[in-house]
Amino acid sequence: MTDTHSNSTRRRFLALGGATAAGSLAGCFGLFSNDNTEVGVSLSDFRGSGPLVESRDQPGGTSIQDLPPLEGDLTVYLGGGEGGLYVDLLDLFEQAYDNFSVEHRVEGSSSLATTIIEENEAGASQADVFMSVDAGSLGAVAKAGATQSLPSEALEAVPGSFQDGDGRWVGFAGRARAIPYNTNTLSPSDLPNSVHDFPDTAALEGTMGWAPTYGAFQSFITAMRLNRSDDVARSWLNSMQNHGITEYDNEFAVSNSAANGELAAGFANHYYSLRVQSARQNAPLDLYFTEGDAGALVNVSGLEILSGTGNAELAGNFVRHVLSAEAQEFFATRTFAYPMISGVQPVGGLPRIDDLNPPDIDLTELADVEGTVDLMQDVGVL
C-alpha cells in the first residue's frame, strides 16, 4: 500500500472554514476601458459573497480595464448545467460596455456540439463562440474543423494541460475530484495517496459514499479507464462495493453527509464541499486530494471561437475577457470553481490548480462515457 504519511503540502489540512487571503477588499472601484471611459461595473459586481469569500486580496492577472472594450453583437452557445451562471457573466459584460450585446442559447453541451457541427457543414454558422462545461464537446467541435485559433494571449494565460494542443479551445474554470471527509472521524494520515488504495484502507471500510449515476463520477471512472485500464476500473468498482459503500443521488449529498458524520468520507467534485462549508461555516468537513490518478482528475469548462463567425476580432477579445482577473474571480467566488489563471486564488484554502497533480490524460477523451456506463452496469453499480 502507498505510504499514507506523505508530506505533500497540497494534501495537508485545508482550512475551509477560514479566510484564505491576507488583506481585504478595499471597497468597490471603477473599471475603465483603455480609452479611460468608465464602465458600469466594479470588482464587487463580479465577486461573490459569504464566509469563504471574505478578506480576499484583489485578483491578479489581466484586468478588463487593460483590454480593448467589447463592442458589437456576439452570439454565444452555452452548453451544460452551468449555463445560467455563464449568463450572469455575460450580463456583467453587457453592463460594463454600452456598445456590447450578447445573444445566447443554453442547451446540453453534446446537443449544442452536434448543432454547431451540422451548421458548420451547411456553411450556416449561427454562433460566434461555444462555451461548454464539457471538454469532450469542445474537442468534438474542434475535431470537426468548426473552430479557429484562439488569441495567443488567452492560450498563454492558461496551463497547457487545460487547453487544446492545437490552440482551438481553452479552459476557463476547473473542477477537481477530491475526497470530502469528516474531520471528527479522520485525519489526512488516515487517507492513502492513491485512489486505488482506498478499497484496502481498513479505516474506511463501510464508511464511504459515492453517486454513481452522476456525470462527474462517470467522468472519474472514464479517467480511470484511460489512465489505467478497463480491467483496473472494473476491479476497483467491485472492490469498493465489497468494501461497503453507500449510494447517493448526487455529490452534494455525499459531501453534506460527510459533514453530518453519516459518512467518514466520499468521492465528489471539490466545490460541493465548499458549498456545504459556505452554508455551515463550522462543519467538520475538509478536502483531501490524491495524486496522479483518476481520483485527482481536474476537468474544465472551456470555450472556443467558431470558424463561421463573422466577428473573429470581437470573439477573440471576448475570450480574453473570460480569462480576465475579474471574470476568473467570478468563477472562483460565485461557483467555487478553480480559476484557470495563476493570479486568481481559489477559495476555501484550496491548493492552487498548478499545485495539484492530476493524471496525464486528454480531457476531450472524457466524452466517451458509453464504455464506462456499460462497465458500471456490468458490475452492478448502475
Side-chain angles (χ1 to χ4, degrees), residues 123-134:
S125 296
Q126 302 298 310
D128 304 299
V129 173
F130 180 34
M131 300 177 72
S132 172
V133 299
D134 176 19

Side-chain angles (χ1 to χ4, degrees), residues 2-361:
T2 306
D3 178 16
T4 61
H5 293 83
S6 167
N7 289 323
S8 173
T9 56
R10 63 176 163 268
R11 297 176 53 254
R12 291 178 180 172
F13 184 85
L14 302 176
L16 290 175
T20 66
S24 61
L25 177 62
C28 302
F29 59 90
L31 297 174
F32 297 82
S33 66
N34 55 6
D35 62 0
N36 290 325
T37 301
E38 187 170 1
V39 298
V41 295
S42 68
L43 176 61
S44 63
D45 294 306
F46 287 87
R47 177 173 281 170
S49 60
L52 298 184
V53 178
E54 295 171 353
S55 302
R56 283 176 65 85
D57 287 332
Q58 277 188 202
T62 301
S63 170
I64 66 171
Q65 63 184 313
D66 298 321
L67 295 174
L70 292 170
E71 295 181 336
D73 300 326
L74 199 71
T75 300
V76 179
Y77 283 175
L78 304 174
E82 302 291 334
L85 293 169
Y86 301 162
V87 170
D88 291 342
L89 181 65
L90 301 183
D91 289 343
L92 283 169
F93 287 153
E94 286 185 318
Q95 292 173 37
Y97 301 106
D98 290 337
N99 296 323
F100 178 60
S101 177
V102 184
E103 289 191 10
H104 60 267
R105 174 177 173 180
V106 181
E107 288 183 20
S109 287
S110 59
S111 175
L112 282 176
T114 299
T115 297
I116 291 167
I117 293 169
E118 291 174 348
E119 290 177 350
N120 183 67
E121 291 174 347
S125 296
Q126 302 298 310
D128 304 299
V129 173
F130 180 34
M131 300 177 72
S132 172
V133 299
D134 176 19
S137 294
L138 297 168
V141 172
K143 186 176 181 180
T147 62
Q148 59 181 265
S149 297
L150 293 168
S152 59
E153 296 90 345
L155 298 172
E156 290 166 0
V158 175
S161 55
F162 304 124
Q163 58 180 270
D164 174 58
D166 296 323
R168 297 288 172 165
W169 64 263
V170 66
F172 60 79
R175 51 193 182 275
R177 297 302 294 175
I179 310 298
Y181 69 94
N182 186 285
T183 57
N184 291 335
T185 305
L186 298 172
S187 65
S189 62
D190 294 319
L191 299 166
N193 290 345
S194 172
V195 71
H196 297 285
D197 292 329
F198 274 70
D200 299 320
T201 304
L204 300 175
E205 187 169 1
T207 67
M208 294 198 70
W210 63 14
T213 63
Y214 219 50
F217 185 88
Q218 293 173 14
S219 292
F220 155 58
I221 299 300
T222 304
M224 187 180 293
R225 295 173 56 221
L226 293 169
N227 185 238
R228 298 288 288 271
S229 69
D230 283 13
D231 287 343
V232 168
R234 180 186 302 274
S235 176
W236 186 85
L237 288 167
N238 279 325
S239 296
M240 287 304 303
Q241 287 178 296
N242 294 335
H243 200 53
I245 189 160
T246 304
E247 181 176 334
Y248 290 82
D249 291 336
N250 59 71
E251 293 187 343
F252 177 82
V254 172
S255 303
N256 200 47
S257 292
N260 290 339
E262 299 164 7
L263 297 173
F267 300 101
N269 278 346
H270 80 276
Y271 49 74
Y272 293 113
S273 289
L274 296 181
R275 292 174 185 178
V276 172
Q277 191 70 43
S278 181
R280 301 164 54 191
Q281 196 168 358
N282 297 316
L285 180 68
D286 209 338
L287 284 174
Y288 180 87
F289 296 87
T290 62
E291 300 183 14
D293 59 24
L297 175 69
V298 179
N299 206 344
V300 296
S301 298
L303 76 172
E304 54 198 357
I305 300 174
L306 303 181
S307 57
T309 179
N311 295 313
E313 184 175 354
L314 174 59
N317 190 18
F318 174 80
V319 172
R320 294 182 66 191
H321 273 72
V322 173
L323 293 171
S324 68
E326 291 82 8
Q328 290 293 291
E329 183 76 356
F330 174 96
F331 293 118
T333 62
R334 290 207 188 190
T335 73
F336 301 140
Y338 263 101
M340 286 284 109
I341 66 173
S342 61
V344 179
Q345 64 183 2
V347 301
L350 293 172
R352 290 181 181 272
I353 199 163
D354 51 5
D355 290 328
L356 298 174
N357 184 16
D360 184 15
I361 61 174

